[in-house]
Amino acid sequence: MTRETSSAALSILAILSLLAVPSVVEAAEQPNIILINCDDLGYADIGCFGSTKHRTPNIDRLAAEGMRLTSYYVTSGVCSPSRASLMTGCYPRRVDLHVDHQGGWVLFPRGKKGLNPSEVTMAEVLKEAGYATAIVGKWHLGDQPEFLPTRQGFDQYFGIPYSNDMGWTDRKDRRYPPLPVLRNEEVVDQEPDQRYLTQRYTKKAIDFIRARSEGPFFLYLPHSMPHWPQYASEDFAGRSANGKWGDAVEEIDWSTGQILETLAELGIEDRTLVLFMSDNGGAVRHGASNKPLRGGKGGTYEGGQRVCCVVRWPGRIPAGATCDELTTSMDLLPTFARLAGGTVPADRTIDGQDIWSLLSGQPGTKTPHEAFFYYWMGTLECVRSGPWKLRVALKRRKSQEPFSPQLFNLSEDIGEATDVAADHPEVVARLQKLAEQAREELGDDGATGSGQRRAGFVEDARALTGADD
């Protein structure tokens, strides 16, 4: 949210979001963009964010040659809602992907719901600006043809349409179809040997980079790992200090190194922005670490939604830098649009903000967000503004007893250990007002917000096209 304190803050954002984003580069200087998104990787699962168990020299090199974003947030503790925000620049509730069609926390195989084709994705923004676009990896925004990446701005797609546990190999109940591997919209493999998924993705990604090296290109590489069940090839299996989780992480680091080597070989390092992130907090029970954050995957404590993020663009992003200003995955769409000379959709609210001034290290730049809202599925649980984080609800709260808001000062208490609400009633009141604005605009629990849009549904799409069910 932009810096406003009145109750009209969200409405003002809606107006501001209608403006086109100016470019900072000439068309001939459009950067190639590579977005690497890991599945369930923890905040402290890479060396440059504090891991002592995982060897990640290539990702650490990205950090040494670029910038670490240490207060970078995704919008959900689970994958489908988070990925919806990444692609659209909007909160999950705004695009109606905070739950699936049956109220589940992510989308499942053969589901009726997906990212509405009328939404404008990051890929569509960049494609309109002249980019070749490809996704290699996990999509998880709808597995029916109407919702696949090739209908959402990507020229090419290779990967699986949802999580790697939604198949037969690691489940006995056979409630889902065999895990498919798609090339564009065609199933080319079923129940793949997941030990080689990271290698297969890496090869396809490099093939695309080589074919489009003249640029500009956008490569979205959403790894399936280290999400459960973790797999790694024989080159990495059993070699880390953290079991299967560490093996999968270290193979992702190898993959990142292969991409960096390819960029150097082709001589396009200096005109390629590479961003590495996770889709949500790490799954601690499977081996992830989110230290020093509290909580992990699925929750709204910091460990669920604050994730590791590293970005490099030689000569444009300062080397060895750290940014602790609040940034979000929603900010990538407007920021990439600016760098590409593209435009942000002018007919709808976009919650993300252009953060290029932060990434480029311009002195004195502050976060463009007045507030950040943490939702658990459809429930608003927390709001952050500046260093303050107010918990206004509890996940899966069974008790009907009134919940007393809890206040944390994240600059002094990153682990959310000490509730200081009683000491700062004025801060509690201010953040409660921001929370109320979010409820009005985005909704809360069963109440629909005034700014929500409808997700895509198979029956709607097929009624428009006349296709059979």
Side-chain angles (χ1 to χ4, degrees):
M1 296 288 172
T2 53
R3 288 192 173 278
E4 296 290 338
T5 56
S6 72
S7 60
L10 286 166
S11 298
I12 291 174
L13 170 60
I15 296 171
L16 292 176
S17 68
L18 301 182
L19 302 177
V21 180
S23 173
V24 297
V25 293
E26 298 297 330
E29 297 178 322
Q30 290 173 306
N32 304 313
I33 297 172
I34 299 177
L35 173 55
I36 303 171
N37 191 19
C38 299
D39 201 340
D40 289 3
L41 187 72
Y43 186 80
D45 273 341
I46 53 180
C48 55
F49 272 75
S51 178
T52 58
K53 291 184 177 180
H54 303 152
R55 296 166 295 187
T56 57
N58 296 297
I59 301 167
D60 298 346
R61 175 189 160 198
L62 270 182
E65 297 175 354
M67 177 180 287
R68 293 187 312 132
L69 304 181
T70 53
S71 290
Y72 178 80
Y73 289 86
V74 294
T75 58
S76 174
V78 293
C79 42
S80 293
S82 169
R83 289 159 192 260
S85 293
L86 182 65
M87 285 293 105
T88 66
C90 298
Y91 281 101
R93 278 204 66 135
R94 189 176 296 284
V95 294
D96 192 24
L97 279 180
H98 52 292
V99 293
D100 79 343
H101 72 285
Q102 296 179 316
W105 67 349
V106 298
L107 302 182
F108 291 91
R110 295 185 291 207
K112 297 180 179 180
K113 193 174 185 180
L115 181 62
N116 197 317
S118 69
E119 293 293 341
V120 178
T121 68
M122 179 187 297
E124 288 172 310
V125 168
L126 294 174
K127 187 178 176 67
E128 182 67 22
Y131 280 64
T133 59
I135 170 177
V136 179
K138 170 185 167 180
W139 175 236
H140 216 166
L141 291 174
D143 66 328
Q144 298 304 298
E146 293 82 359
F147 309 131
L148 290 177
T150 45
R151 311 285 180 99
Q152 305 279 5
F154 287 98
D155 299 324
Q156 301 177 30
Y157 172 40
F158 179 87
I160 61 176
Y162 33 72
S163 295
N164 65 315
D165 64 330
M166 296 179 177
W168 287 5
T169 300
D170 295 280
R171 292 185 181 270
K172 297 180 180 179
D173 55 13
R174 296 292 193 267
R175 57 177 157 158
Y176 304 133
L179 183 68
V181 175
L182 279 71
R183 180 185 297 118
N184 297 327
E185 298 183 11
E186 178 187 1
V187 176
V188 294
D189 194 4
Q190 292 185 335
E191 289 303 313
D193 188 335
Q194 293 196 37
R195 294 177 300 170
Y196 303 109
L197 271 184
T198 299
Q199 289 191 1
R200 291 177 73 178
Y201 291 169
T202 304
K203 182 181 184 304
K204 292 292 185 182
I206 290 174
D207 287 347
F208 174 76
I209 293 170
R210 290 187 181 281
R212 300 293 183 176
S213 62
E214 295 301 315
F217 66 77
F218 170 50
L219 169 63
Y220 176 40
L221 176 55
H223 283 289
S224 295
M225 301 297 158
H227 187 283
W228 182 87
Q230 295 82 40
Y231 285 96
S233 70
E234 58 268 21
D235 294 335
F236 294 90
R239 299 194 178 188
S240 80
N242 192 25
K244 291 184 177 180
W245 188 271
D247 298 345
V249 172
E250 292 188 1
E251 190 152 29
I252 288 172
D253 181 77
W254 163 85
S255 171
T256 304
Q258 293 296 296
I259 290 170
L260 297 182
E261 287 181 16
T262 302
L263 297 178
E265 176 192 335
L266 296 171
I268 58 175
E269 281 183 305
D270 291 348
R271 52 188 177 95
T272 303
L273 182 153
V274 180
L275 189 143
F276 181 97
M277 61 174 283
S278 180
D279 68 341
N280 49 248
V284 176
R285 69 190 181 100
H286 290 305
S289 172
N290 299 305
K291 294 180 179 180
L293 309 179
R294 180 176 177 178
K297 177 181 179 176
T300 53
Y301 286 110
E302 291 296 279
Q305 292 187 223
R306 190 193 292 209
V307 300
C308 56
C309 181
V310 177
V311 57
R312 184 193 79 168
W313 183 8
R316 299 293 187 126
I317 293 174
T322 297
C323 175
D324 196 45
E325 291 292 320
L326 191 156
T327 54
T328 83
S329 60
M330 298 182 291
D331 301 332
L332 299 188
L333 184 150
T335 303
F336 290 170
R338 172 176 181 165
L339 297 178
T343 55
V344 171
D347 60 347
R348 67 199 69 200
T349 298
I350 301 297
D351 297 300
Q353 299 291 309
D354 175 11
I355 57 169
W356 176 243
S357 59
L358 287 171
L359 297 184
S360 57
Q362 296 180 26
T365 305
K366 301 297 183 181
T367 177
H369 296 279
E370 164 68 12
F372 176 75
F373 303 106
Y374 307 65
Y375 276 85
W376 161 250
M377 299 173 72
T379 301
L380 177 65
E381 290 200 345
C382 309
V383 56
R384 176 177 174 177
S385 182
W388 301 105
K389 179 178 180 181
L390 186 70
R391 178 168 289 277
V392 297
L394 282 174
K395 178 181 68 175
R396 301 171 182 166
R397 181 160 55 89
K398 297 180 180 179
S399 170
Q400 297 303 308
E401 294 296 320
F403 176 75
S404 297
Q406 299 172 341
L407 182 69
F408 303 99
N409 185 335
L410 296 178
S411 64
E412 300 175 357
D413 179 24
I414 195 172
E416 298 171 278
T418 304
D419 176 13
V420 295
D423 300 327
H424 301 280
E426 74 289 351
V427 176
V428 172
R430 182 171 67 85
L431 269 64
Q432 286 278 36
K433 186 175 293 186
L434 290 170
E436 189 56 39
Q437 293 170 24
R439 293 187 183 104
E440 293 174 2
E441 176 80 6
L442 299 173
D444 193 11
D445 289 328
T448 300
S450 62
Q452 285 188 265
R453 304 192 286 268
R454 181 175 166 83
F457 289 86
V458 169
E459 54 266 33
D460 294 341
R462 294 182 182 173
L464 288 173
T465 62
D468 294 332
D469 292 336

